[in-house]
């Protein structure tokens, strides 16, 4: 087997650092001796030609980049099993073009996305552009499409001219199989760039993407995908990876600002991030930018949430990026864990932060047309748990909520269960007006918000412009797969 044909080199690690990781022994021999590797290598595995760009973790980008040209982003995403490197070995994953995370798609407001999803995964799947404020109908961000194994489907998505810039992402949305396919590695970022990206402080910063994901590290599909009724009830968790790597180390400089785009791409896991000795300055949340940088000590991200932050290193040294203890209800607390290390070189201090970021339309004084109540509940225990919205399991042939286009509504989401459930609505972002047990919510545009166990949130949602039928659901994907999802139609 030719060395350059090993798909594991496509995953996020440049060849030099992988060889270094293998300790200078003849790498070919070691790789050839990996049983998981040899049994899974096949000639039809996606192979990146020798010399094509593979991002190094030290520059902070997780994967290949696909950019729009002249208003068009033409992308081919091939979903297939493969072996990928994660820093200290190789593992089985469901890859996107041989990688996980998949390539980052870069586009601008007004662009057209033409995305061919080539499904070689072995199962039916589809594609959702989480957070994009685009049509959910036809060949666009339509979660009701099924792409059978062995077939390809071309998505055609228009990003409106007035679409905000920010950090979005793609992942599968084929009902009953979302958790396992995402857990296995099928996801990637979508970046919409606008004037904020050109602000001198932002454009001059070191650009870093931190994609948090957890999976089971295993050599076969069944080792990674197999689960238990209990794990599905709680929401499956695994070993945490950053940009597909186990505890990566990043090189940084004290004389540069950093701009991070952070995504929680885990199926269930919550993170509460802290960087030793640093604060974070939030410039954007899920669905849009803030008016000005907001200083926080920690960043809590529930599944599906994104945040853009500026980071100022005040001095050189080695700093741990940790996830602090965090609980999501009755299942206990995840302990503190180290996710990555930043090695910051001495020499000069970072430039100042920008005073303002973007224009922000605050909905707190807007009077909603109506207030709707939505109840997330669980019934039963252990293997037999049922996950319900307004007492019902998901049914794609039913419309649960009808909304008139052009109106603004308040939604009060009540969680009557002893477990947290992150609420997510496709297409139409909202502002959080109240959130129990969380203090005053940040004035920000969101598309995911945690609804605490036995708690509630009040959201204000403008249903402007876009019409069509789509879904809202719990973003603990095992709960979504179990039926904690409902259909909304805006017309
Ligand atoms: Cu991340 Cu229904 O989506
Ligand atoms: Cu979504
Ligand atoms: Cu849930």
């Amino acid at each position: 087997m030719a060395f350059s044909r090993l798909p594991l080199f496509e995953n996020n690690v440049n060849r030099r650092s992988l060889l270094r990781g293998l300790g200078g022994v003849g790498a070919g021999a070691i790789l050839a001796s990996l049983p998981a590797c040899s049994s899974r290598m096949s000639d039809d595995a996606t192979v990146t030609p020798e010399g094509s760009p593979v991002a190094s973790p030290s520059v902070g980008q997780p994967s290949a980049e696909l950019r729009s040209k002249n208003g068009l982003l033409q992308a081919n995403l091939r979903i297939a099993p493969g072996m990928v490197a994660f820093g200290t070995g190789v593992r089985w994953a469901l890859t996107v073009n041989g990688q996980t995370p998949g390539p980052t798609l870069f586009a601008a407001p007004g662009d057209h996305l033409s995305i061919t999803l080539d499904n070689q995964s072995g199962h039916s799947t589809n594609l959702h552009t989480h957070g994009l404020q685009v049509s959910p109908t036809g060949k666009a961000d339509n979660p009701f499409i099924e792409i059978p194994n062995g077939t390809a489907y071309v998505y055609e998505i228009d990003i409106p001219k007035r679409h905000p810039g920010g950090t979005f992402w793609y992942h599968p949305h084929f009902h009953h199989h979302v958790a396992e396919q995402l857990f296995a590695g099928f996801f990637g970022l979508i970046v919409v760039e606008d004037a904020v990206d050109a602000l001198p402080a932002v454009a001059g910063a070191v650009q870093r993407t931190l994609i948090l994901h957890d999976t089971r590290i295993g050599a076969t599909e069944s080792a990674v995908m197999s689960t238990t009724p209990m794990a599905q009830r709680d929401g499956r968790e695994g070993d945490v990876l950053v940009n597909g790597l186990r505890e990566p180390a990043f090189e940084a400089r004290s004389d540069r600002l950093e701009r991070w785009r952070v995504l929680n791409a885990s199926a269930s896991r919550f993170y509460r991030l802290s960087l030793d000795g640093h604060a974070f300055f939030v410039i954007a949340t899920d669905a849009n930018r803030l008016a000005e940088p907001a200083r926080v000590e920690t960043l809590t991200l529930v599944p599906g949430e994104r945040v853009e932050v500026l980071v100022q290193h005040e001095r050189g040294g080695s700093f741990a990026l940790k996830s602090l203890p965090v609980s999501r209800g009755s299942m206990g607390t995840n302990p503190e864990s180290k996710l990555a290390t930043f090695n910051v070189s001495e020499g000069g201090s970072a430039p100042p932060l920008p005073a303002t970021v973007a224009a922000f339309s605050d909905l707190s004084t807007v009077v909603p047309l109506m207030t709707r109540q939505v109840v997330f509940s669980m019934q039963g225990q252990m293997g037999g748990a049922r996950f319900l919205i307004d007492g019902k399991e998901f049914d794609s042939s039913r419309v649960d909520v009808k909304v008139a286009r052009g109106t603004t509504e308040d939604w009060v989401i009540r969680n009557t269960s002893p477990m947290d459930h992150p609420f997510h609505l496709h297409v139409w972002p909202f502002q959080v007006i109240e959130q129990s047990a969380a203090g005053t919510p940040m004035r920000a545009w969101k598309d995911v918000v945690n609804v605490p166990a036995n708690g509630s949130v009040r959201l204000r949602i403008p249903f402007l412009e876009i019409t069509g039928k789509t879904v809202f659901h719990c973003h603990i994907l095992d709960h979504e797969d179990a039926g904690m999802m409902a259909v909304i139609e805006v017309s």
Side-chain angles (χ1 to χ4, degrees):
M1 191 185 301
F3 197 54
S4 63
R5 293 181 62 80
L6 289 172
L8 62 95
F9 287 117
E10 296 158 26
N11 186 48
N12 307 339
V13 184
N14 65 27
R15 175 165 305 191
R16 247 195 3 245
S17 64
L18 181 62
L19 292 178
R20 214 184 299 126
L22 290 170
V25 190
I30 290 191
L31 294 172
S33 72
L34 286 170
C37 224
S38 43
S39 69
R40 277 284 164 175
M41 286 313 158
S42 67
D43 279 328
D44 68 3
T46 308
V47 170
T48 301
E50 181 85 35
S52 67
V54 175
S56 153
S58 66
V59 301
Q61 299 305 329
S63 51
E65 297 181 356
L66 302 172
R67 287 180 177 271
S68 64
K69 280 192 206 87
N70 305 319
L72 174 66
L73 176 65
Q74 211 145 14
N76 208 320
L77 303 179
R78 186 177 190 273
I79 311 306
M83 298 304 294
V84 296
F86 61 94
T88 52
V90 292
R91 61 188 177 93
W92 182 93
L94 189 54
T95 67
V96 187
N97 297 355
Q99 306 181 308
T100 174
T104 298
L105 311 182
F106 283 86
D111 283 358
H112 181 78
L113 311 180
S114 181
I115 303 173
T116 302
L117 196 88
D118 177 8
N119 179 15
Q120 303 298 332
S121 70
H123 308 273
S124 282
T125 190
N126 65 13
L127 188 79
H128 167 48
T129 53
H130 178 134
L132 287 189
Q133 295 147 48
V134 299
S135 170
T137 62
K139 298 178 163 192
D141 182 27
N142 181 344
F144 303 104
I145 287 169
E146 173 174 0
I147 307 173
N149 179 49
T151 67
Y153 187 88
V154 186
Y155 286 90
E156 302 288 355
I157 301 171
D158 284 311
I159 304 179
K161 275 218 159 55
R162 287 165 48 200
H163 195 288
T167 302
F168 309 96
W169 64 303
Y170 58 85
H171 64 75
H173 218 286
F174 184 61
H175 191 46
H176 299 308
H177 301 276
V178 180
E180 63 190 22
Q181 293 182 355
L182 181 123
F183 192 76
F186 174 6
F187 57 88
L189 272 189
I190 303 172
V191 170
V192 178
E193 291 180 308
D194 69 359
V196 170
D197 298 280
L199 291 174
V202 176
V206 174
Q207 307 293 317
R208 248 187 242 285
T209 299
L210 298 176
I211 301 182
L212 312 176
H213 179 241
D214 63 342
T215 188
R216 192 165 317 127
I217 292 177
T220 61
E221 172 164 355
S222 62
V224 176
M225 303 276 233
S226 67
T227 184
T228 63
M230 183 116 99
Q232 286 175 295
R233 182 202 60 188
D234 291 350
R236 69 189 74 191
E237 294 191 350
D239 302 305
V240 178
L241 301 171
V242 178
N243 299 347
L245 301 171
R246 200 79 206 259
E247 276 187 39
F250 298 99
E251 304 303 322
R253 295 168 47 161
S254 63
D255 60 350
R256 298 281 300 276
L257 273 182
E258 298 207 12
R259 187 270 196 98
W260 296 2
R261 298 175 182 275
V262 191
L263 160 67
N264 181 353
S266 282
S268 321
R269 188 181 281 271
F270 290 16
Y271 300 90
R272 193 156 68 91
L273 302 180
S274 92
L275 180 64
D276 276 353
H278 292 70
F280 300 107
F281 294 88
V282 179
I283 58 168
T285 52
D286 300 336
N288 209 330
R289 271 62 183 258
L290 305 187
E292 55 206 32
R295 184 184 198 279
V296 296
E297 297 293 327
T298 61
L299 295 170
T300 298
L301 289 133
V302 303
E305 280 190 301
R306 291 87 65 207
V307 71
E308 295 182 14
V309 296
L310 297 174
V311 179
Q312 238 170 355
H313 301 293
E314 274 148 26
R315 58 193 170 85
S318 179
F319 303 95
L321 178 69
K322 293 179 193 151
S323 186
L324 302 178
V326 61
S327 123
R328 48 191 180 90
S330 56
M331 308 96 68
T333 300
N334 268 338
E336 177 175 311
S337 63
K338 186 172 145 203
L339 304 181
T341 306
F342 284 81
N343 295 314
V344 184
S345 65
E346 300 279 357
S349 51
L353 297 158
T356 59
V357 181
F360 181 82
S361 47
D362 185 348
L363 299 181
S364 62
T365 57
V366 171
V367 179
L369 183 73
M370 65 175 288
T371 297
R372 214 180 270 279
Q373 310 282 335
V374 177
V375 178
F376 277 33
S377 68
M378 284 170 62
Q379 264 175 19
Q381 282 297 308
M382 305 306 291
R386 298 178 71 217
F387 293 86
L388 309 170
I389 295 180
D390 292 334
K392 288 172 280 194
E393 272 174 11
F394 177 67
D395 177 351
S396 62
S397 66
R398 189 181 65 215
V399 174
D400 298 287
V401 173
K402 289 194 171 182
V403 174
R405 182 183 98 140
T407 59
T408 294
E409 296 190 354
D410 270 15
W411 286 25
V412 174
I413 325 274
R414 268 196 312 127
N415 174 1
T416 63
S417 80
M419 213 184 265
D420 291 14
H421 297 290
F423 169 89
H424 170 51
L425 170 63
H426 288 205
V427 180
W428 301 276
F430 47 78
Q431 291 179 14
V432 182
I433 304 298
E434 289 162 19
Q435 185 174 17
S436 62
T440 312
M442 190 180 269
R443 298 227 181 286
W445 286 98
K446 301 281 300 158
D447 56 52
V448 179
V449 63
N450 190 41
V451 191
N454 299 307
S456 67
V457 296
R458 175 183 286 267
L459 313 178
R460 193 150 296 159
I461 317 174
F463 291 96
L464 307 177
E465 288 166 38
I466 299 171
T467 56
K469 197 171 84 166
T470 187
V471 291
F472 57 93
H473 56 87
C474 175
H475 219 290
I476 289 176
L477 299 173
D478 282 298
H479 298 173
E480 174 193 341
D481 282 334
M484 198 174 248
M485 175 154 72
V487 176
I488 174 174
E489 182 162 22
V490 178
S491 54

